[in-house]
Amino acid sequence: MSSPSSTHLIPTTPPLVQQPQHSASYTLTATFASAGLGNAISAMSTNPADIVKVRQQLLVDKSRASFVKIGLDMAKNEGVMSLYNGVTASCLRELTYSTVRMGLYETFKDFYSGAFNVSDKSFSIKVLSGVTSGALGSAFACPTDLVKVRMQAARPDGRPPYRNTFVGFLHVYREGSQPPPQLPGQPVRQGGLVGGVRSLYRGVGPTIIRAAVLTSSQIASYDQVKGMIKERGLMSEGLPLHFASSMVAGFVCSVTSAPFDTVKVRLMQDKKREFKNALDCLGKLVRNEGPIALYKGFGMCWARLGSHTVISLI
């Protein structure tokens, strides 16, 4: 693992007493546990912003419903607690996805630094580490992300799509393992075990790309901004520095990942299989709703990711 001087993710203060030395395995385990717990707490805290963002992204016309209107309509028609729809799936997603992406970030940074004989302070090394850890985490956790999106989507009949998160996994699996009769002009759908697994990983392509882009831009920009501020003596180690770095990182990763997030959400909610793949979804979205549709829900995206970054990295 990196020495404390090269690790920017965990705020440090000058020790008042001699600190115990921990083994590399202990440090790695603690990093994974901290990443999972911190991001699960963040998911619970930011679920209202996340669900409003998802509903904005699922608007299939050129309307631009404000996050205030959607939030108020949800509270009025579905109850205030509807803002926490899918929170269990969201926490489960973070306990898998973010545990891997943040837990392995420093490990990959050390690995790439040694492999390429480059300082671990290099921004390119930070980006590459974020891409790798983010892609691995999202590939592992895609089913939890899919169930989360479906539980957060609008409910025309007022009822949740699944009784709970774990029943949701079973329903999604059955969508693929027991395909409906083949209709003319539709792509052939494979049933059985393979079809069920493919159904659970619906949208995995844009999910992996989004996670790679988000993690590399979020953690790398946080790491870089924090280091630059400290080197220039603008702020010393502490909560204000951490907050400023986190908000910059939240904005950067919102800008870079929002289009991939929108395509991912549309694909995951596509129960009727109207889209052949991610490119087909992207093409139809831009053609029918305009390029700006890729940034539907951006305000809530930044509010969520900015807050999520602050809470999780604390």
Side-chain angles (χ1 to χ4, degrees), residues 170-206:
L170 182 60
H171 275 256
V172 175
Y173 175 83
R174 285 176 175 171
E175 284 179 17
S177 62
Q178 300 175 353
Q182 188 65 36
L183 299 177
Q186 284 192 339
V188 177
R189 291 176 55 191
Q190 187 173 14
L193 176 62
V194 174
V197 173
R198 284 171 63 93
S199 183
L200 284 167
Y201 280 84
R202 176 84 172 160
V204 68

Side-chain angles (χ1 to χ4, degrees), residues 142 145-146 198-209 260 263-265 267-268 278:
C142 185
D145 201 358
L146 187 149
R198 284 171 63 93
S199 183
L200 284 167
Y201 280 84
R202 176 84 172 160
V204 68
T207 300
I208 290 176
I209 296 173
F260 304 104
V263 172
K264 178 206 75 171
V265 167
L267 273 175
M268 288 182 168

Side-chain angles (χ1 to χ4, degrees), residues 49-63:
D50 191 23
I51 192 171
V52 171
K53 171 191 72 74
V54 167
R55 294 203 177 187
Q56 285 181 300
Q57 291 173 326
L58 288 174
L59 293 172
V60 295
D61 53 24
K62 294 186 178 182
S63 62

Side-chain angles (χ1 to χ4, degrees), residues 128-143:
L128 183 58
S129 302
V131 167
T132 309
S133 63
L136 285 175
S138 64
F140 180 65
C142 185

